[in-house]
Structures are given as structure tokens and as C-alpha cells.
Amino acid sequence: MREKLILDTPHRQVVFTIPKMLRIFFKFNRSLLSELCVCGKEALLKYLEATTKKALTPGIIAVIQSFGSRINFHPHLHVLVTEGGTDKKGQFHRVSHFNDPLLCKLFTLEVFSLLLRKQLINQTLVQKILHWRHTGFNVHSKVRTESKEETERVGKYMIRPILSLKRLSLDKTQGQVIYQYGKHSSETESMDYLEFIARVTSHIPDKGQVMVRYYGLYANAHRGKMRKTESDPLCPLIIDDEDPFVPSKGWAEMIKKVYEIDPLICPKCGGTMRIVSFIDDYKVIDKIIKHLNLTFRAARPPPPQAQL
């Protein structure tokens, strides 16, 4: 895979998860798993276009996983995608910033659209789920690779087997199969051997069903076209000047309107500050707060006219 397929550019592993309420549709109609894969692909394409204002074609390897840590039915996607894609001229544009909340919204709309077309759900259920505090949809794209070796290692993880025999044991006195699902030896689950067989066999794909799919720059059709034009599919023309990520200034305008203070004005020199990046990892935020000895108590209350 590393020598014949992977581009020499950074990749992201993006994990797409759906709510428990909707998983039953994919359990009894396995063809929907393939269409769920398309939902993840379309969400990525729309995200790249929304953030760069260009129709880019990335390299995508999507793996359909139907199992959770307890060998339970938990359909989700592991997608390996290039950080960026090629435009119509064949030039590769880098996109190193991934906004998980925005990507999750796009994926949510794609899944709802799929299930509505299949007439498996209605608009009432869609609105109900969207009004939940936690919809159950989730996207995680924090795993990043910079070399082909790292990308290959993540790819091997994505196609890992359903279970590990090292985690499996048998309690002969009770006639129970014991499976260690967590990192610690105490995190185990006991089950009847028939239930164990049922769990394992429930993940066997239908005849002819493909669980690993290739899109964009990694699709066979695209790579075949590149060979016909005598171009190397593994060496696209890469543009190093990445299109800058322009965050929305709506939050700054709202703070200025409510508290009558511009959060982008430096309190020390009075100059205008520019946004370098957004930090949404709570562990990193906690370290910064602790290092700077920051508190959440305001130095002075907001002006009277701003109080509600």
C-alpha cells in the first residue's frame, strides 16, 4: 500500500460515528453500510469545498467497521484522507485545518438524507434528534500522519480484525466465554458461548460486499487515467502555499456588541490582534490555563446596559 498507493503528503484519520438509535437500520440492511461510506466521502468533499472555496479531489481510503470494543454491533467509518486535494488543473492544495464540529454537521445531514430517501425515518425523528444536546453523531480527526510509514501504520489499524485471541479466555466451570475489551485486565465481559458465536458471526459481510473503498485520487479509475496520460499518480503538483483558514468573526462582533469591548484589541499595547489558531482540545486548554494562572472571574462586571 505504501509504495503503490499512498501519496507522499500528510493524511488524517477521520472516524465517523452514528447514534445508537439509527444503528438498527444498518444491522438488518447491510447494503446501507456501503451507502454510509458514501456519506462520509461526501461530507469530506463538501467540507474541503466549504473551507477552500474550491472543488478539490482528495485521496480517500474508507474502511467500514461494524464492531465495537465488546464485539457488539457498532457500525462506523474509519477514513484515511489526504490533507487537501487536487483542483481541476491537477494542482494539489494543502488543507491542514480540520474542523470536527463543521464536518460532523455535514456528515449528519448526509446520513439523514440517506435514511429519508430510503423512507426509514421521517422529518419528525430528524428534528427530534437534532434538538438533543448530544445527537449521537460524532467526528474525530485528531490522528495525523506526516510520512508514508505513519500512514501505513494507521491504515493497518483501520483494517484490524474483529477481536484478539489474546483477549479471549474460557471459564470451563461456568461455561462462559470471557473477553477483555479494555486496556486493563479487570475490563472483561462474560457471555454464553452461543452469544459469543452470534456476536462474531453478525459481523460477517454479505457476499460480495466490499468493506474497504477507495475514492478520489486513490480510486482505480483516477489512477488508471493518470497512467494513460503518462503522469505519476503518486506525485501530483503540490502547492506549498496553503490557503489560509479564515475563521468567522461573528463571535468577536457579538462580544463587542454585548460587553462594549473589542476582544481583538490587545489590552497592553492597544494594537489589533489577529487569530493564529483555535484550540479545541480541552487537555491543551487546561494546561494553558494552569500555566498562566488564569481564573474565570471577570476583572469587572459587564456594563449595566448589557446585563439581562
Side-chain angles (χ1 to χ4, degrees), residues 223-258:
R223 300 175 72 238
K225 290 179 181 178
M226 295 296 290
R227 291 194 189 96
K228 289 181 180 180
T229 59
E230 297 183 353
S231 301
D232 188 350
L234 299 183
C235 297
L237 178 59
I238 296 178
I239 297 178
D240 290 327
D241 295 332
E242 180 180 354
D243 296 326
F245 173 72
V246 182
S248 172
K249 293 185 179 181
W251 62 272
E253 296 297 329
M254 291 300 295
I255 291 176
K256 184 177 180 180
K257 182 177 180 180
V258 174

PDB file of all heavy atoms in Angstrom, residues 223-258:
ATOM      1  N   ARG A 223      -6.563   6.620 -11.003  1.00  0.00           N
ATOM      2  CA  ARG A 223      -5.171   6.193 -11.177  1.00  0.00           C
ATOM      3  C   ARG A 223      -4.945   5.628 -12.579  1.00  0.00           C
ATOM      4  O   ARG A 223      -3.862   5.770 -13.154  1.00  0.00           O
ATOM      5  CB  ARG A 223      -4.815   5.175 -10.107  1.00  0.00           C
ATOM      6  CG  ARG A 223      -4.955   5.755  -8.702  1.00  0.00           C
ATOM      7  CD  ARG A 223      -4.725   4.742  -7.595  1.00  0.00           C
ATOM      8  NE  ARG A 223      -3.316   4.409  -7.505  1.00  0.00           N
ATOM      9  CZ  ARG A 223      -2.833   3.178  -7.632  1.00  0.00           C
ATOM     10  NH1 ARG A 223      -3.649   2.170  -7.877  1.00  0.00           N
ATOM     11  NH2 ARG A 223      -1.540   2.949  -7.517  1.00  0.00           N
ATOM     12  N   GLY A 224      -5.996   4.993 -13.136  1.00  0.00           N
ATOM     13  CA  GLY A 224      -5.878   4.491 -14.498  1.00  0.00           C
ATOM     14  C   GLY A 224      -5.761   5.622 -15.514  1.00  0.00           C
ATOM     15  O   GLY A 224      -4.975   5.547 -16.457  1.00  0.00           O
ATOM     16  N   LYS A 225      -6.532   6.703 -15.294  1.00  0.00           N
ATOM     17  CA  LYS A 225      -6.458   7.870 -16.193  1.00  0.00           C
ATOM     18  C   LYS A 225      -5.084   8.519 -16.119  1.00  0.00           C
ATOM     19  O   LYS A 225      -4.544   8.983 -17.135  1.00  0.00           O
ATOM     20  CB  LYS A 225      -7.534   8.879 -15.817  1.00  0.00           C
ATOM     21  CG  LYS A 225      -8.948   8.426 -16.142  1.00  0.00           C
ATOM     22  CD  LYS A 225      -9.961   9.477 -15.714  1.00  0.00           C
ATOM     23  CE  LYS A 225     -11.387   9.015 -16.011  1.00  0.00           C
ATOM     24  NZ  LYS A 225     -12.383  10.024 -15.545  1.00  0.00           N
ATOM     25  N   MET A 226      -4.515   8.576 -14.926  1.00  0.00           N
ATOM     26  CA  MET A 226      -3.194   9.178 -14.771  1.00  0.00           C
ATOM     27  C   MET A 226      -2.127   8.374 -15.516  1.00  0.00           C
ATOM     28  O   MET A 226      -1.215   8.935 -16.108  1.00  0.00           O
ATOM     29  CB  MET A 226      -2.840   9.274 -13.284  1.00  0.00           C
ATOM     30  CG  MET A 226      -3.731  10.219 -12.484  1.00  0.00           C
ATOM     31  SD  MET A 226      -3.582  11.929 -13.024  1.00  0.00           S
ATOM     32  CE  MET A 226      -1.926  12.306 -12.439  1.00  0.00           C
ATOM     33  N   ARG A 227      -2.268   7.061 -15.517  1.00  0.00           N
ATOM     34  CA  ARG A 227      -1.284   6.229 -16.223  1.00  0.00           C
ATOM     35  C   ARG A 227      -1.391   6.444 -17.741  1.00  0.00           C
ATOM     36  O   ARG A 227      -0.387   6.435 -18.443  1.00  0.00           O
ATOM     37  CB  ARG A 227      -1.517   4.758 -15.891  1.00  0.00           C
ATOM     38  CG  ARG A 227      -1.170   4.390 -14.444  1.00  0.00           C
ATOM     39  CD  ARG A 227      -1.099   2.881 -14.291  1.00  0.00           C
ATOM     40  NE  ARG A 227      -0.993   2.495 -12.899  1.00  0.00           N
ATOM     41  CZ  ARG A 227      -2.017   2.151 -12.140  1.00  0.00           C
ATOM     42  NH1 ARG A 227      -3.242   2.155 -12.646  1.00  0.00           N
ATOM     43  NH2 ARG A 227      -1.837   1.817 -10.882  1.00  0.00           N
ATOM     44  N   LYS A 228      -2.623   6.622 -18.233  1.00  0.00           N
ATOM     45  CA  LYS A 228      -2.809   6.833 -19.667  1.00  0.00           C
ATOM     46  C   LYS A 228      -2.175   8.145 -20.131  1.00  0.00           C
ATOM     47  O   LYS A 228      -1.717   8.259 -21.269  1.00  0.00           O
ATOM     48  CB  LYS A 228      -4.295   6.823 -20.010  1.00  0.00           C
ATOM     49  CG  LYS A 228      -4.932   5.448 -19.915  1.00  0.00           C
ATOM     50  CD  LYS A 228      -6.397   5.496 -20.292  1.00  0.00           C
ATOM     51  CE  LYS A 228      -7.035   4.110 -20.205  1.00  0.00           C
ATOM     52  NZ  LYS A 228      -8.482   4.144 -20.568  1.00  0.00           N
ATOM     53  N   THR A 229      -2.160   9.145 -19.247  1.00  0.00           N
ATOM     54  CA  THR A 229      -1.546  10.433 -19.594  1.00  0.00           C
ATOM     55  C   THR A 229      -0.061  10.455 -19.255  1.00  0.00           C
ATOM     56  O   THR A 229       0.579  11.491 -19.317  1.00  0.00           O
ATOM     57  CB  THR A 229      -2.254  11.571 -18.843  1.00  0.00           C
ATOM     58  OG1 THR A 229      -2.165  11.340 -17.422  1.00  0.00           O
ATOM     59  CG2 THR A 229      -3.715  11.649 -19.236  1.00  0.00           C
ATOM     60  N   GLU A 230       0.467   9.279 -18.865  1.00  0.00           N
ATOM     61  CA  GLU A 230       1.880   9.119 -18.509  1.00  0.00           C
ATOM     62  C   GLU A 230       2.276  10.030 -17.348  1.00  0.00           C
ATOM     63  O   GLU A 230       3.403  10.521 -17.275  1.00  0.00           O
ATOM     64  CB  GLU A 230       2.781   9.399 -19.721  1.00  0.00           C
ATOM     65  CG  GLU A 230       2.559   8.423 -20.870  1.00  0.00           C
ATOM     66  CD  GLU A 230       3.499   8.684 -22.021  1.00  0.00           C
ATOM     67  OE1 GLU A 230       4.228   9.697 -21.974  1.00  0.00           O
ATOM     68  OE2 GLU A 230       3.519   7.870 -22.958  1.00  0.00           O
ATOM     69  N   SER A 231       1.325  10.268 -16.448  1.00  0.00           N
ATOM     70  CA  SER A 231       1.603  11.046 -15.245  1.00  0.00           C
ATOM     71  C   SER A 231       1.742  10.089 -14.069  1.00  0.00           C
ATOM     72  O   SER A 231       1.098   9.042 -14.019  1.00  0.00           O
ATOM     73  CB  SER A 231       0.471  12.043 -14.962  1.00  0.00           C
ATOM     74  OG  SER A 231       0.320  12.927 -16.051  1.00  0.00           O
ATOM     75  N   ASP A 232       2.592  10.454 -13.120  1.00  0.00           N
ATOM     76  CA  ASP A 232       2.769   9.630 -11.935  1.00  0.00           C
ATOM     77  C   ASP A 232       1.650   9.939 -10.956  1.00  0.00           C
ATOM     78  O   ASP A 232       1.566  11.036 -10.417  1.00  0.00           O
ATOM     79  CB  ASP A 232       4.120   9.927 -11.279  1.00  0.00           C
ATOM     80  CG  ASP A 232       4.435   8.953 -10.141  1.00  0.00           C
ATOM     81  OD1 ASP A 232       3.523   8.186  -9.753  1.00  0.00           O
ATOM     82  OD2 ASP A 232       5.565   8.965  -9.637  1.00  0.00           O
ATOM     83  N   PRO A 233       0.743   8.968 -10.674  1.00  0.00           N
ATOM     84  CA  PRO A 233      -0.374   9.237  -9.761  1.00  0.00           C
ATOM     85  C   PRO A 233       0.069   9.490  -8.340  1.00  0.00           C
ATOM     86  O   PRO A 233      -0.701  10.005  -7.533  1.00  0.00           O
ATOM     87  CB  PRO A 233      -1.212   7.956  -9.860  1.00  0.00           C
ATOM     88  CG  PRO A 233      -0.247   6.895 -10.279  1.00  0.00           C
ATOM     89  CD  PRO A 233       0.729   7.585 -11.178  1.00  0.00           C
ATOM     90  N   LEU A 234       1.316   9.137  -8.003  1.00  0.00           N
ATOM     91  CA  LEU A 234       1.800   9.331  -6.641  1.00  0.00           C
ATOM     92  C   LEU A 234       2.539  10.652  -6.459  1.00  0.00           C
ATOM     93  O   LEU A 234       2.955  10.973  -5.359  1.00  0.00           O
ATOM     94  CB  LEU A 234       2.734   8.180  -6.237  1.00  0.00           C
ATOM     95  CG  LEU A 234       2.108   6.780  -6.231  1.00  0.00           C
ATOM     96  CD1 LEU A 234       3.116   5.763  -5.743  1.00  0.00           C
ATOM     97  CD2 LEU A 234       0.851   6.748  -5.383  1.00  0.00           C
ATOM     98  N   CYS A 235       2.691  11.420  -7.551  1.00  0.00           N
ATOM     99  CA  CYS A 235       3.438  12.679  -7.450  1.00  0.00           C
ATOM    100  C   CYS A 235       2.666  13.818  -8.102  1.00  0.00           C
ATOM    101  O   CYS A 235       3.054  14.315  -9.169  1.00  0.00           O
ATOM    102  CB  CYS A 235       4.822  12.541  -8.087  1.00  0.00           C
ATOM    103  SG  CYS A 235       5.880  11.328  -7.274  1.00  0.00           S
ATOM    104  N   PRO A 236       1.567  14.278  -7.501  1.00  0.00           N
ATOM    105  CA  PRO A 236       0.850  15.426  -8.067  1.00  0.00           C
ATOM    106  C   PRO A 236       1.621  16.712  -7.827  1.00  0.00           C
ATOM    107  O   PRO A 236       2.515  16.767  -6.969  1.00  0.00           O
ATOM    108  CB  PRO A 236      -0.468  15.426  -7.287  1.00  0.00           C
ATOM    109  CG  PRO A 236      -0.110  14.832  -5.964  1.00  0.00           C
ATOM    110  CD  PRO A 236       0.944  13.795  -6.259  1.00  0.00           C
ATOM    111  N   LEU A 237       1.299  17.755  -8.581  1.00  0.00           N
ATOM    112  CA  LEU A 237       1.920  19.059  -8.395  1.00  0.00           C
ATOM    113  C   LEU A 237       1.355  19.694  -7.122  1.00  0.00           C
ATOM    114  O   LEU A 237       0.189  20.073  -7.068  1.00  0.00           O
ATOM    115  CB  LEU A 237       1.641  19.958  -9.600  1.00  0.00           C
ATOM    116  CG  LEU A 237       2.208  21.390  -9.519  1.00  0.00           C
ATOM    117  CD1 LEU A 237       3.717  21.358  -9.360  1.00  0.00           C
ATOM    118  CD2 LEU A 237       1.804  22.188 -10.739  1.00  0.00           C
ATOM    119  N   ILE A 238       2.182  19.788  -6.079  1.00  0.00           N
ATOM    120  CA  ILE A 238       1.719  20.258  -4.777  1.00  0.00           C
ATOM    121  C   ILE A 238       2.008  21.745  -4.617  1.00  0.00           C
ATOM    122  O   ILE A 238       3.125  22.211  -4.865  1.00  0.00           O
ATOM    123  CB  ILE A 238       2.386  19.465  -3.630  1.00  0.00           C
ATOM    124  CG1 ILE A 238       1.970  17.993  -3.712  1.00  0.00           C
ATOM    125  CG2 ILE A 238       2.008  20.048  -2.272  1.00  0.00           C
ATOM    126  CD1 ILE A 238       2.601  17.128  -2.653  1.00  0.00           C
ATOM    127  N   ILE A 239       1.003  22.498  -4.233  1.00  0.00           N
ATOM    128  CA  ILE A 239       1.153  23.920  -3.954  1.00  0.00           C
ATOM    129  C   ILE A 239       1.439  24.079  -2.462  1.00  0.00           C
ATOM    130  O   ILE A 239       0.613  23.748  -1.622  1.00  0.00           O
ATOM    131  CB  ILE A 239      -0.120  24.702  -4.344  1.00  0.00           C
ATOM    132  CG1 ILE A 239      -0.352  24.589  -5.851  1.00  0.00           C
ATOM    133  CG2 ILE A 239      -0.021  26.151  -3.922  1.00  0.00           C
ATOM    134  CD1 ILE A 239      -1.599  25.288  -6.320  1.00  0.00           C
ATOM    135  N   ASP A 240       2.641  24.580  -2.119  1.00  0.00           N
ATOM    136  CA  ASP A 240       3.031  24.694  -0.720  1.00  0.00           C
ATOM    137  C   ASP A 240       2.321  25.837  -0.015  1.00  0.00           C
ATOM    138  O   ASP A 240       2.151  25.812   1.198  1.00  0.00           O
ATOM    139  CB  ASP A 240       4.552  24.894  -0.603  1.00  0.00           C
ATOM    140  CG  ASP A 240       5.305  23.629  -0.983  1.00  0.00           C
ATOM    141  OD1 ASP A 240       4.768  22.542  -0.713  1.00  0.00           O
ATOM    142  OD2 ASP A 240       6.401  23.733  -1.547  1.00  0.00           O
ATOM    143  N   ASP A 241       1.936  26.874  -0.756  1.00  0.00           N
ATOM    144  CA  ASP A 241       1.236  27.999  -0.124  1.00  0.00           C
ATOM    145  C   ASP A 241      -0.201  27.605   0.157  1.00  0.00           C
ATOM    146  O   ASP A 241      -1.066  27.650  -0.713  1.00  0.00           O
ATOM    147  CB  ASP A 241       1.272  29.234  -1.043  1.00  0.00           C
ATOM    148  CG  ASP A 241       2.686  29.746  -1.231  1.00  0.00           C
ATOM    149  OD1 ASP A 241       3.498  29.541  -0.315  1.00  0.00           O
ATOM    150  OD2 ASP A 241       2.961  30.332  -2.286  1.00  0.00           O
ATOM    151  N   GLU A 242      -0.425  27.180   1.388  1.00  0.00           N
ATOM    152  CA  GLU A 242      -1.752  26.719   1.760  1.00  0.00           C
ATOM    153  C   GLU A 242      -2.719  27.885   1.850  1.00  0.00           C
ATOM    154  O   GLU A 242      -2.375  28.966   2.318  1.00  0.00           O
ATOM    155  CB  GLU A 242      -1.697  26.000   3.116  1.00  0.00           C
ATOM    156  CG  GLU A 242      -3.039  25.485   3.596  1.00  0.00           C
ATOM    157  CD  GLU A 242      -2.934  24.777   4.928  1.00  0.00           C
ATOM    158  OE1 GLU A 242      -1.795  24.602   5.399  1.00  0.00           O
ATOM    159  OE2 GLU A 242      -3.972  24.415   5.494  1.00  0.00           O
ATOM    160  N   ASP A 243      -3.942  27.652   1.385  1.00  0.00           N
ATOM    161  CA  ASP A 243      -4.967  28.669   1.517  1.00  0.00           C
ATOM    162  C   ASP A 243      -5.232  28.907   2.995  1.00  0.00           C
ATOM    163  O   ASP A 243      -5.520  27.962   3.731  1.00  0.00           O
ATOM    164  CB  ASP A 243      -6.265  28.221   0.832  1.00  0.00           C
ATOM    165  CG  ASP A 243      -6.069  28.059  -0.665  1.00  0.00           C
ATOM    166  OD1 ASP A 243      -5.290  28.834  -1.222  1.00  0.00           O
ATOM    167  OD2 ASP A 243      -6.684  27.158  -1.255  1.00  0.00           O
ATOM    168  N   PRO A 244      -5.121  30.143   3.478  1.00  0.00           N
ATOM    169  CA  PRO A 244      -5.278  30.396   4.913  1.00  0.00           C
ATOM    170  C   PRO A 244      -6.684  30.106   5.384  1.00  0.00           C
ATOM    171  O   PRO A 244      -7.655  30.368   4.670  1.00  0.00           O
ATOM    172  CB  PRO A 244      -4.951  31.887   5.047  1.00  0.00           C
ATOM    173  CG  PRO A 244      -5.261  32.459   3.709  1.00  0.00           C
ATOM    174  CD  PRO A 244      -4.921  31.384   2.710  1.00  0.00           C
ATOM    175  N   PHE A 245      -6.765  29.535   6.585  1.00  0.00           N
ATOM    176  CA  PHE A 245      -8.071  29.288   7.189  1.00  0.00           C
ATOM    177  C   PHE A 245      -8.579  30.591   7.795  1.00  0.00           C
ATOM    178  O   PHE A 245      -7.911  31.198   8.624  1.00  0.00           O
ATOM    179  CB  PHE A 245      -7.947  28.227   8.283  1.00  0.00           C
ATOM    180  CG  PHE A 245      -9.215  28.026   9.065  1.00  0.00           C
ATOM    181  CD1 PHE A 245     -10.299  27.400   8.497  1.00  0.00           C
ATOM    182  CD2 PHE A 245      -9.304  28.486  10.366  1.00  0.00           C
ATOM    183  CE1 PHE A 245     -11.467  27.208   9.220  1.00  0.00           C
ATOM    184  CE2 PHE A 245     -10.460  28.307  11.090  1.00  0.00           C
ATOM    185  CZ  PHE A 245     -11.542  27.657  10.525  1.00  0.00           C
ATOM    186  N   VAL A 246      -9.737  31.042   7.345  1.00  0.00           N
ATOM    187  CA  VAL A 246     -10.304  32.303   7.807  1.00  0.00           C
ATOM    188  C   VAL A 246     -11.467  32.011   8.741  1.00  0.00           C
ATOM    189  O   VAL A 246     -12.550  31.637   8.285  1.00  0.00           O
ATOM    190  CB  VAL A 246     -10.789  33.164   6.624  1.00  0.00           C
ATOM    191  CG1 VAL A 246     -11.328  34.491   7.133  1.00  0.00           C
ATOM    192  CG2 VAL A 246      -9.658  33.385   5.628  1.00  0.00           C
ATOM    193  N   PRO A 247     -11.256  32.132  10.046  1.00  0.00           N
ATOM    194  CA  PRO A 247     -12.340  31.848  10.975  1.00  0.00           C
ATOM    195  C   PRO A 247     -13.394  32.944  10.961  1.00  0.00           C
ATOM    196  O   PRO A 247     -13.122  34.076  10.576  1.00  0.00           O
ATOM    197  CB  PRO A 247     -11.630  31.789  12.346  1.00  0.00           C
ATOM    198  CG  PRO A 247     -10.447  32.666  12.169  1.00  0.00           C
ATOM    199  CD  PRO A 247     -10.015  32.521  10.727  1.00  0.00           C
ATOM    200  N   SER A 248     -14.590  32.584  11.389  1.00  0.00           N
ATOM    201  CA  SER A 248     -15.674  33.546  11.450  1.00  0.00           C
ATOM    202  C   SER A 248     -15.421  34.563  12.561  1.00  0.00           C
ATOM    203  O   SER A 248     -14.939  34.224  13.638  1.00  0.00           O
ATOM    204  CB  SER A 248     -16.997  32.818  11.715  1.00  0.00           C
ATOM    205  OG  SER A 248     -18.026  33.747  11.950  1.00  0.00           O
ATOM    206  N   LYS A 249     -15.725  35.849  12.292  1.00  0.00           N
ATOM    207  CA  LYS A 249     -15.559  36.894  13.295  1.00  0.00           C
ATOM    208  C   LYS A 249     -16.879  37.214  13.994  1.00  0.00           C
ATOM    209  O   LYS A 249     -16.988  38.215  14.688  1.00  0.00           O
ATOM    210  CB  LYS A 249     -14.989  38.155  12.641  1.00  0.00           C
ATOM    211  CG  LYS A 249     -13.564  37.995  12.135  1.00  0.00           C
ATOM    212  CD  LYS A 249     -13.021  39.312  11.605  1.00  0.00           C
ATOM    213  CE  LYS A 249     -11.584  39.157  11.130  1.00  0.00           C
ATOM    214  NZ  LYS A 249     -11.029  40.432  10.619  1.00  0.00           N
ATOM    215  N   GLY A 250     -17.860  36.351  13.794  1.00  0.00           N
ATOM    216  CA  GLY A 250     -19.149  36.618  14.403  1.00  0.00           C
ATOM    217  C   GLY A 250     -19.091  36.680  15.914  1.00  0.00           C
ATOM    218  O   GLY A 250     -19.724  37.536  16.537  1.00  0.00           O
ATOM    219  N   TRP A 251     -18.305  35.796  16.529  1.00  0.00           N
ATOM    220  CA  TRP A 251     -18.212  35.772  17.994  1.00  0.00           C
ATOM    221  C   TRP A 251     -17.606  37.062  18.519  1.00  0.00           C
ATOM    222  O   TRP A 251     -18.034  37.600  19.554  1.00  0.00           O
ATOM    223  CB  TRP A 251     -17.385  34.572  18.442  1.00  0.00           C
ATOM    224  CG  TRP A 251     -15.959  34.607  17.952  1.00  0.00           C
ATOM    225  CD1 TRP A 251     -15.495  34.125  16.778  1.00  0.00           C
ATOM    226  CD2 TRP A 251     -14.837  35.180  18.625  1.00  0.00           C
ATOM    227  NE1 TRP A 251     -14.148  34.356  16.656  1.00  0.00           N
ATOM    228  CE2 TRP A 251     -13.715  34.998  17.782  1.00  0.00           C
ATOM    229  CE3 TRP A 251     -14.669  35.822  19.849  1.00  0.00           C
ATOM    230  CZ2 TRP A 251     -12.456  35.437  18.135  1.00  0.00           C
ATOM    231  CZ3 TRP A 251     -13.408  36.256  20.200  1.00  0.00           C
ATOM    232  CH2 TRP A 251     -12.309  36.054  19.348  1.00  0.00           C
ATOM    233  N   ALA A 252     -16.584  37.594  17.814  1.00  0.00           N
ATOM    234  CA  ALA A 252     -15.938  38.827  18.253  1.00  0.00           C
ATOM    235  C   ALA A 252     -16.900  40.010  18.170  1.00  0.00           C
ATOM    236  O   ALA A 252     -16.935  40.876  19.061  1.00  0.00           O
ATOM    237  CB  ALA A 252     -14.688  39.092  17.409  1.00  0.00           C
ATOM    238  N   GLU A 253     -17.694  40.037  17.104  1.00  0.00           N
ATOM    239  CA  GLU A 253     -18.658  41.114  16.949  1.00  0.00           C
ATOM    240  C   GLU A 253     -19.734  41.057  18.034  1.00  0.00           C
ATOM    241  O   GLU A 253     -20.189  42.097  18.534  1.00  0.00           O
ATOM    242  CB  GLU A 253     -19.311  41.043  15.555  1.00  0.00           C
ATOM    243  CG  GLU A 253     -18.342  41.258  14.401  1.00  0.00           C
ATOM    244  CD  GLU A 253     -17.723  42.662  14.433  1.00  0.00           C
ATOM    245  OE1 GLU A 253     -18.404  43.600  14.907  1.00  0.00           O
ATOM    246  OE2 GLU A 253     -16.578  42.804  13.977  1.00  0.00           O
ATOM    247  N   MET A 254     -20.147  39.840  18.417  1.00  0.00           N
ATOM    248  CA  MET A 254     -21.163  39.698  19.450  1.00  0.00           C
ATOM    249  C   MET A 254     -20.634  40.151  20.816  1.00  0.00           C
ATOM    250  O   MET A 254     -21.334  40.818  21.581  1.00  0.00           O
ATOM    251  CB  MET A 254     -21.626  38.243  19.522  1.00  0.00           C
ATOM    252  CG  MET A 254     -22.434  37.783  18.315  1.00  0.00           C
ATOM    253  SD  MET A 254     -23.944  38.749  18.076  1.00  0.00           S
ATOM    254  CE  MET A 254     -24.855  38.309  19.550  1.00  0.00           C
ATOM    255  N   ILE A 255     -19.378  39.780  21.124  1.00  0.00           N
ATOM    256  CA  ILE A 255     -18.776  40.213  22.390  1.00  0.00           C
ATOM    257  C   ILE A 255     -18.656  41.731  22.424  1.00  0.00           C
ATOM    258  O   ILE A 255     -18.940  42.388  23.438  1.00  0.00           O
ATOM    259  CB  ILE A 255     -17.396  39.549  22.579  1.00  0.00           C
ATOM    260  CG1 ILE A 255     -17.566  38.042  22.814  1.00  0.00           C
ATOM    261  CG2 ILE A 255     -16.638  40.189  23.746  1.00  0.00           C
ATOM    262  CD1 ILE A 255     -16.263  37.286  22.922  1.00  0.00           C
ATOM    263  N   LYS A 256     -18.263  42.314  21.304  1.00  0.00           N
ATOM    264  CA  LYS A 256     -18.119  43.768  21.225  1.00  0.00           C
ATOM    265  C   LYS A 256     -19.472  44.460  21.403  1.00  0.00           C
ATOM    266  O   LYS A 256     -19.575  45.507  22.057  1.00  0.00           O
ATOM    267  CB  LYS A 256     -17.504  44.145  19.879  1.00  0.00           C
ATOM    268  CG  LYS A 256     -17.213  45.626  19.711  1.00  0.00           C
ATOM    269  CD  LYS A 256     -16.543  45.892  18.366  1.00  0.00           C
ATOM    270  CE  LYS A 256     -16.248  47.373  18.192  1.00  0.00           C
ATOM    271  NZ  LYS A 256     -15.596  47.637  16.875  1.00  0.00           N
ATOM    272  N   LYS A 257     -20.522  43.851  20.854  1.00  0.00           N
ATOM    273  CA  LYS A 257     -21.843  44.445  20.939  1.00  0.00           C
ATOM    274  C   LYS A 257     -22.414  44.351  22.350  1.00  0.00           C
ATOM    275  O   LYS A 257     -23.036  45.301  22.855  1.00  0.00           O
ATOM    276  CB  LYS A 257     -22.783  43.739  19.951  1.00  0.00           C
ATOM    277  CG  LYS A 257     -24.192  44.311  19.913  1.00  0.00           C
ATOM    278  CD  LYS A 257     -25.030  43.607  18.853  1.00  0.00           C
ATOM    279  CE  LYS A 257     -26.434  44.187  18.808  1.00  0.00           C
ATOM    280  NZ  LYS A 257     -27.275  43.505  17.787  1.00  0.00           N
ATOM    281  N   VAL A 258     -22.205  43.201  23.014  1.00  0.00           N
ATOM    282  CA  VAL A 258     -22.796  42.983  24.343  1.00  0.00           C
ATOM    283  C   VAL A 258     -21.991  43.665  25.437  1.00  0.00           C
ATOM    284  O   VAL A 258     -22.535  44.370  26.304  1.00  0.00           O
ATOM    285  CB  VAL A 258     -22.923  41.467  24.618  1.00  0.00           C
ATOM    286  CG1 VAL A 258     -23.392  41.224  26.051  1.00  0.00           C
ATOM    287  CG2 VAL A 258     -23.896  40.837  23.632  1.00  0.00           C
TER     288      VAL A 258
END
